[in-house]
């Protein structure tokens, strides 16, 4: 209710924002847009950075990029007519001269800033025509004899939106701080929990941390604050990570309380044995181990939620097939979903080859399956004649009804968002049971990310490659040496090997990328007239793609020019040379995936990273990592350090990873303490879990309805 004054012991989380001074309906809407609904939310709306308005800087000592407050006298104020008209005001103090520049200004402003006037201004120092300049500073004229007060704390800059100014937010947050008391804001992490998780008790309390961060004192270590390393920030980062973890754990418990089909085949009638017998190789120790983990999960009464990690080429598909067969053996269906058409087709081809001898005809569904074919596919899925179904995300559209779905397998999980992962759990669920879920990823997920983004999953890791692989030798070459590279392809193909030429994304446009690949294929054909060259890209019809892929597989084609569509799944052991054009445009994890397409046979393989000159320092560093390592986990960790979690997990995941205070790279050392605090809290203070999740995640629905 507007104007209603809450009791001084009411929890701030239950006080609506319109009880604050100055909050009407329109402001309330704007605040809601920032996920601010109650007074507690305001306290946890934390500054992005700080400005120092506690002191006046001498003009002679300002540096580029600094935000500074100046006090000075106006020397001149003139309109400059250039490409853009601007008002330029020269000011000086006892130490130097600087210009203020306004692109939007009024006549009144010009008069006010006339020579001799004294002013105080604030803004960022940037390079300008007249030397250092400040564009559109905030400023105030000082009347003779007047003394303007200085701020006695650093000025917080908050995340804001259109139509909501910093001063307004500051005012509201100050009101909220005025209501902050032990009764009104509960600290849900008992000091004992914090102390035993961290092994020290050196952090401020929750209330102290909040007060400090909204108003850091004059002498606050500003660099430490900007870096997020201050104990007050660490205290909150810890709490934020803890609440994310608790939220994912809650999801996990939720599924633990659900029932799943018990997939426990009789030992005698096992498709598994027949399948293993007809495989041309035997499982590696690691494949065997994870396969047993999965087998045990599937025979439980609650749904499996398992992440299968294994470096590219480690043989995850066979493990998936074994899991699928366990479902089939028990009279259930298994669905296998891949993120791209091409990868789904590869799986379809593999599964068909493996399962048909066992008398199983896999079903196939993608967005491109239309008309009568689609109706037939839907029918086979619906009546159970397709015990194993392979496809793209089309498998999870509403019109698709499974007969008896027992297991969902998602390949290359990182391409799908967390939301999708959760949505898929719903698919095929009935009142009584939900299917088991296996997600597979070839992008090794650094432990820090795994602990936060996948805390709701059990993890199995395939940590060895099948025998007989030779590590890929990676070379970094400037594109000025293209002729040598082309000669190298010639050589390799003459020796009976095959090669890939990968064209990378140009400015996020698939169309342009495909075009570039077409042009490249034509050029290479001119330069290598005796080679048979094929082309695949994302805009080709799927029959055409399949046709080209088959031709490459069977050795009819020597060289395959492709876009990054071949990143995942393509498996041609005879290919031993890969050229990646403009590798500096790609993430390391993606390069690692691409490179994994070679080195699958007995032949020594090479990957040439053909970069565009000049290469930035960071670019050099990143390609250097590729050259020096073939360990997917190491590469992913380096990528995480260099580019951050959003990039490593793919953009779909960035929502999940946008913490307010925490930073997974910077705060990696908090993750183990967070884990133990989560355990303690769940065990000894179960009632604290809900409010903590609510406080940090509130209406954000990152993880669906918890
Ligand atoms: P990924 O883990 O990248 O999905 P795949 O499942 O595509 O790897 O397997 C890569 C290649 O290794 C395939 O050709 C597959 O048949 C082969 N492979 C898988 N397991 C073994 C094994 N135990 N021994 C030999 N080759 C294997
Ligand atoms: Mg795979």
């Amino acid at each position: 209710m507007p104007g209603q004054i809450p009791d001084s012991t009411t929890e701030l989380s239950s006080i609506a924002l319109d009880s604050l001074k100055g909050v009407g309906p329109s402001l309330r809407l704007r605040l809601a847009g920032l996920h601010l609904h109650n007074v507690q939310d305001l306290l946890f709306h934390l500054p992005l950075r700080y400005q120092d308005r506690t002191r006046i800087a001498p003009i002679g000592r300002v540096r580029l990029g600094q935000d500074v407050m100046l006090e000075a006298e106006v020397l001149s104020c003139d309109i400059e007519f250039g490409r853009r008209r601007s008002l330029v005001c020269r000011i000086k103090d006892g130490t130097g001269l600087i210009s203020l520049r306004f692109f939007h200004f009024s006549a009144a402003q010009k008069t006010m800033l006339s020579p001799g006037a004294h002013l105080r201004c604030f803004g960022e120092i940037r390079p300008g025509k007249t030397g250092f300049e400040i564009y559109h500073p905030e400023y105030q004229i000082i009347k003779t004899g007047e003394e303007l007060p200085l701020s006695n704390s650093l000025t917080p800059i908050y995340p804001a939106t259109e139509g909501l100014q910093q001063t307004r937010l500051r005012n509201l947050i100050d009101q909220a701080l005025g209501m902050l008391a032990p009764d009104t804001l509960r600290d849900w992490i008992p000091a004992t929990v914090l102390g035993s998780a961290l092994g020290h008790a050196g952090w401020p309390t929750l209330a102290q941390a909040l007060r400090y961060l909204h108003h850091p004192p004059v002498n606050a270590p500003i660099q430490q604050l900007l870096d997020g390393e201050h104990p007050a920030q660490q205290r909150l980062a810890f709490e934020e990570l803890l609440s994310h973890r608790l939220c994912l754990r809650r999801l996990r418990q939720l599924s633990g309380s659900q029932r799943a089909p018990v997939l426990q085949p009789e030992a005698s009638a096992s498709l598994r044995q027949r399948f293993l017998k007809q495989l041309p190789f035997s499982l590696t120790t690691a494949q065997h181990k994870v396969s047993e983990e999965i087998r045990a999960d599937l025979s439980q009464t609650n749904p499996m939620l398992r992440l299968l990690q294994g470096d590219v080429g480690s043989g995850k598909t066979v493990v998936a097939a074994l899991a699928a067969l366990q479902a089939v053996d028990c009279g259930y269906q298994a669905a296998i979903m891949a993120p791209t058409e091409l990868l789904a087709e590869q799986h379809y081809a593999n599964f068909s080859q493996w399962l048909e001898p066992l008398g199983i005809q896999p079903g196939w569904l993608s967005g491109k399956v239309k008309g009568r074919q689609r109706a037939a596919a839907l029918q086979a899925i619906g009546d159970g004649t397709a015990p194993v179904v392979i496809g793209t995300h089309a498998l999870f559209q509403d019109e698709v009804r499974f007969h008896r779905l027992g297991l969902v397998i998602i390949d290359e999980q990182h391409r799908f968002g967390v939301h999708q992962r959760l949505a898929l759990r719903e698919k095929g669920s009935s009142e009584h049971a939900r299917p088991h879920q296996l997600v597979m990823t070839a992008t090794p997920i650094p432990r820090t990310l795994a602990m936060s983004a996948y805390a709701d999953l059990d993890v199995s890791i395939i940590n060895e490659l099948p025998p007989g692989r030779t590590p890929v030798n990676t070379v970094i070459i400037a594109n000025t040496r293209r002729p040598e590279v082309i000669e190298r392809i010639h050589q390799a193909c003459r020796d009976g090997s095959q090669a890939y030429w990968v064209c990378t994304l140009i400015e996020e446009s698939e169309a342009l990328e495909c075009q570039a690949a077409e042009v490249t294929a034509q050029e290479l054909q001119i330069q290598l007239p005796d080679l048979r060259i094929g082309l695949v890209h994302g805009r080709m019809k799927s029959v055409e793609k399949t046709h080209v892929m088959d031709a490459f597989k069977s050795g009819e084609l020597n060289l395959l020019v492709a876009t990054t569509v071949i990143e995942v799944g393509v498996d041609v052991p005879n290919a031993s040379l890969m050229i990646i054009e403009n590798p500096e445009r790609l993430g390391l994890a993606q390069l690692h995936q691409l490179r994994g397409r070679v080195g699958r046979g007995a032949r020594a393989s090479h990957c040439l990273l053909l970069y565009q000159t000049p290469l930035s320092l960071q670019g050099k560093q990143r390609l250097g990592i590729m050259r020096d390592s073939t360990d997917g986990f190491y590469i992913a960790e380096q990528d995480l350090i260099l580019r951050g979690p959003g990039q490593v997990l793919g953009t779909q995941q960035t929502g999940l990873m946008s913490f307010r205070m925490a930073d997974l790279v910077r705060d990696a050392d908090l993750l183990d303490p967070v884990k133990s605090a989560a355990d303690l809290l769940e065990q000894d203070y179960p009632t604290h879990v809900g409010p903590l999740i609510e406080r940090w995640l509130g209406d954000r629905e990152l993880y669906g309805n918890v």
Side-chain angles (χ1 to χ4, degrees):
M1 293 297 122
Q4 197 179 55
I5 299 188
D7 193 277
S8 66
T9 61
T10 313
E11 288 203 18
L12 300 183
S13 58
S14 58
I15 304 177
L17 289 175
D18 26 23
S19 59
L20 297 180
K21 278 197 228 63
V23 180
S26 76
L27 182 53
R28 202 183 51 199
L29 270 180
R30 294 220 165 94
L31 292 166
L34 290 170
H35 302 283
L36 303 173
H37 303 284
N38 59 53
V39 175
Q40 169 177 283
D41 292 341
L42 276 176
L43 290 178
F44 286 83
H45 193 63
L46 296 160
L48 289 171
R49 56 194 176 86
Y50 298 94
Q51 291 175 343
D52 188 354
R53 295 170 190 251
T54 64
R55 64 195 108 212
I56 305 292
I59 293 177
R61 252 181 278 148
V62 300
R63 278 174 290 128
L64 268 183
Q66 258 183 333
D67 279 331
V68 290
M69 188 145 74
L70 307 175
E71 262 184 26
E73 184 190 333
V74 178
L75 278 183
S76 65
C77 189
D78 302 295
I79 297 177
E80 236 184 58
F81 297 90
R83 212 152 42 86
R84 265 180 94 188
R85 208 170 68 110
S86 58
L87 182 69
V88 180
C89 181
R90 292 289 281 171
I91 59 170
K92 69 158 190 165
D93 67 5
T95 67
L97 277 170
I98 197 167
S99 300
L100 312 180
R101 189 180 292 271
F102 301 85
F103 293 100
H104 308 279
F105 56 91
S106 62
Q109 233 171 340
K110 182 168 186 302
T111 321
M112 212 160 45
L113 292 169
S114 52
H118 282 262
L119 58 78
R120 178 184 285 182
C121 64
F122 184 90
E124 189 196 330
I125 305 293
R126 38 160 96 217
K129 259 194 254 165
T130 63
F132 284 177
E133 299 189 351
I134 302 180
Y135 290 179
H136 284 274
E138 293 170 38
Y139 72 95
Q140 216 177 340
I141 300 289
I142 307 174
K143 299 193 196 92
T144 334
E146 188 185 27
E147 286 238 0
L148 295 178
L150 282 168
S151 169
N152 56 13
S153 63
L154 296 181
T155 307
I157 306 295
Y158 293 103
T161 60
E162 179 104 15
L164 184 57
Q165 290 122 358
Q166 292 292 331
T167 45
R168 202 60 171 298
L169 265 171
R170 266 174 229 148
N171 171 291
L172 295 176
I173 289 169
D174 286 348
Q175 291 186 54
L177 284 168
M179 298 157 81
L180 173 58
D183 281 341
T184 60
L185 185 79
R186 289 279 305 272
D187 185 345
W188 299 110
I189 314 177
T192 51
V193 171
L194 200 57
S196 82
L198 283 170
H200 70 79
W203 278 347
T205 64
L206 177 64
Q208 284 168 342
L210 288 170
R211 286 188 202 283
Y212 190 93
L213 293 179
H214 287 296
H215 287 292
V218 179
N219 59 2
I222 190 156
Q223 198 51 48
Q224 194 184 29
L225 280 170
L226 294 176
D227 294 341
E229 307 268 15
H230 192 277
Q233 289 165 313
Q234 292 284 294
R235 167 66 180 76
L236 292 175
F238 182 89
E239 182 165 327
E240 183 174 31
L241 289 168
L242 178 61
S243 65
H244 277 248
R245 184 173 181 89
L246 288 167
C247 181
L248 284 167
R249 294 273 297 238
R250 183 164 273 204
L251 273 175
R252 160 142 219 117
Q253 286 148 8
L254 207 69
S255 88
S257 67
Q258 285 157 340
R259 300 193 61 80
V262 178
L263 304 177
Q264 198 166 28
E266 285 169 32
S268 56
S270 179
L271 284 167
R272 181 189 180 88
Q273 298 311 329
R274 288 167 57 206
F275 173 73
L276 288 174
K277 215 175 274 168
Q278 63 153 48
L279 265 187
F281 47 77
S282 49
L283 297 186
T284 61
T285 315
Q287 281 171 321
H288 183 74
K289 180 172 147 278
V290 302
S291 181
E292 286 304 319
E293 286 166 356
I294 293 166
R295 180 143 77 144
D297 275 6
L298 294 178
S299 54
Q300 301 293 314
T301 52
N302 53 331
M304 169 175 81
L305 285 177
R306 192 170 277 279
L307 176 69
L308 175 57
Q309 288 202 57
D311 210 338
V312 50
S314 61
K316 293 181 291 294
T317 323
V318 181
V319 174
L322 281 167
L325 287 175
Q326 189 169 341
V328 178
D329 247 340
C330 298
Y332 282 87
Q333 286 171 297
I336 295 128
M337 180 175 73
T340 66
E341 184 98 6
L342 194 66
L343 177 55
E345 274 168 16
Q346 291 266 328
H347 279 327
Y348 182 66
N350 271 330
F351 275 78
S352 300
Q353 194 194 342
W354 284 334
L355 303 188
E356 275 164 12
L358 306 176
I360 298 170
Q361 177 58 55
W364 165 251
L365 192 71
S366 81
K368 292 193 178 144
V369 178
K370 297 254 155 65
R372 216 179 315 151
Q373 241 182 323
R374 186 174 192 86
L378 291 175
Q379 172 79 25
I381 296 170
D383 65 17
T385 30
V388 174
V389 186
I390 293 147
T392 58
H393 50 266
L395 281 179
F396 296 93
Q397 285 159 358
D398 283 341
E399 57 166 342
V400 184
R401 299 246 184 273
F402 285 86
H403 175 58
R404 263 183 118 196
L405 187 59
L407 169 66
V408 174
I409 300 173
I410 304 167
D411 197 11
E412 308 300 340
Q413 142 76 19
H414 68 291
R415 297 285 202 96
F416 299 99
V418 157
H419 296 271
Q420 276 163 304
R421 182 171 95 220
L422 297 171
L424 296 187
R425 283 188 199 162
E426 301 298 323
K427 192 76 191 177
S429 303
S430 66
E431 255 173 78
H432 313 292
R434 308 187 140 216
H436 297 278
Q437 199 176 85
L438 178 66
V439 299
M440 307 199 287
T441 170
T443 300
I445 299 169
R447 204 174 90 88
T448 44
L449 285 191
M451 282 181 70
S452 32
Y454 296 96
D456 60 329
L457 301 176
D458 292 316
V459 179
S460 290
I461 297 178
I462 305 185
N463 57 4
E464 66 180 318
L465 294 179
R469 302 268 168 92
T470 27
V472 181
N473 168 41
T474 302
V475 186
I476 308 174
I477 302 181
N479 67 350
T480 47
R481 290 168 61 193
R482 210 175 161 103
E484 281 168 58
V485 171
I486 290 170
E487 183 41 41
R488 188 106 175 235
I489 298 175
H490 209 175
Q491 190 65 46
C493 293
R494 262 199 312 245
D495 293 347
S497 177
Q498 287 168 282
Y500 296 101
W501 183 291
V502 184
C503 302
T504 54
L505 197 75
I506 299 170
E507 295 181 3
E508 304 294 315
S509 155
E510 200 201 10
L512 282 178
E513 188 189 39
C514 298
Q515 209 179 12
E518 274 164 19
V519 172
T520 305
Q522 284 160 10
E523 284 172 4
L524 288 171
Q525 188 66 78
I526 293 167
Q527 288 159 312
L528 296 163
D530 55 333
L531 295 191
R532 289 177 307 268
I533 301 179
L535 170 70
V536 281
H537 60 62
R539 299 214 144 189
M540 282 162 58
K541 289 212 179 81
S542 77
V543 274
E544 288 175 84
K545 259 190 288 185
T546 314
H547 185 72
V548 176
M549 288 310 302
D550 287 347
F552 189 62
K553 246 185 188 169
S554 68
E556 261 171 66
L557 294 174
N558 307 110
L559 173 65
L560 184 67
V561 177
T563 56
T564 51
V565 297
I566 63 151
E567 178 190 344
V568 285
V570 174
D571 188 27
V572 180
N574 190 46
S576 67
L577 176 62
M578 172 174 281
I579 290 89
I580 305 178
E581 230 182 324
N582 305 315
E584 67 277 8
R585 289 180 184 152
L586 300 182
L588 294 187
Q590 207 181 355
L591 283 172
H592 181 64
Q593 284 294 309
L594 282 168
R595 184 173 59 181
R597 301 304 120 210
V598 290
R600 298 188 156 222
R603 225 186 267 266
S605 295
H606 303 274
C607 176
L608 313 185
L609 303 175
L610 192 58
Y611 68 89
Q612 183 82 41
T613 51
L615 189 57
S616 71
L617 187 62
Q618 212 211 31
K620 272 192 193 123
Q621 253 179 325
R622 295 177 55 228
L623 296 186
I625 292 166
M626 289 306 295
R627 180 191 52 215
D628 299 338
S629 176
T630 50
D631 175 348
F633 277 90
Y634 172 77
I635 290 171
E637 236 145 55
Q638 295 303 310
D639 209 15
L640 178 65
I641 292 169
L642 288 173
R643 296 194 312 154
Q647 295 289 327
V648 174
L649 284 177
T651 42
Q652 301 94 328
Q653 299 272 13
T654 46
L656 169 75
M657 288 298 127
S658 66
F659 293 102
R660 280 187 259 177
M661 184 49 82
D663 173 316
L664 285 176
V665 177
R666 182 191 66 212
D667 302 327
D669 56 340
L670 293 182
L671 290 168
D672 279 315
V674 160
K675 184 166 174 288
S676 32
D679 292 342
L680 286 171
L681 217 58
E682 278 179 336
Q683 196 182 310
D684 300 338
Y685 303 90
T687 55
H688 292 202
V689 172
L692 203 51
I693 293 175
E694 178 62 32
R695 174 177 287 171
W696 285 93
L697 294 165
D699 68 338
R700 285 165 208 243
E701 288 186 26
L702 288 184
Y703 308 107
N705 303 318
V706 184

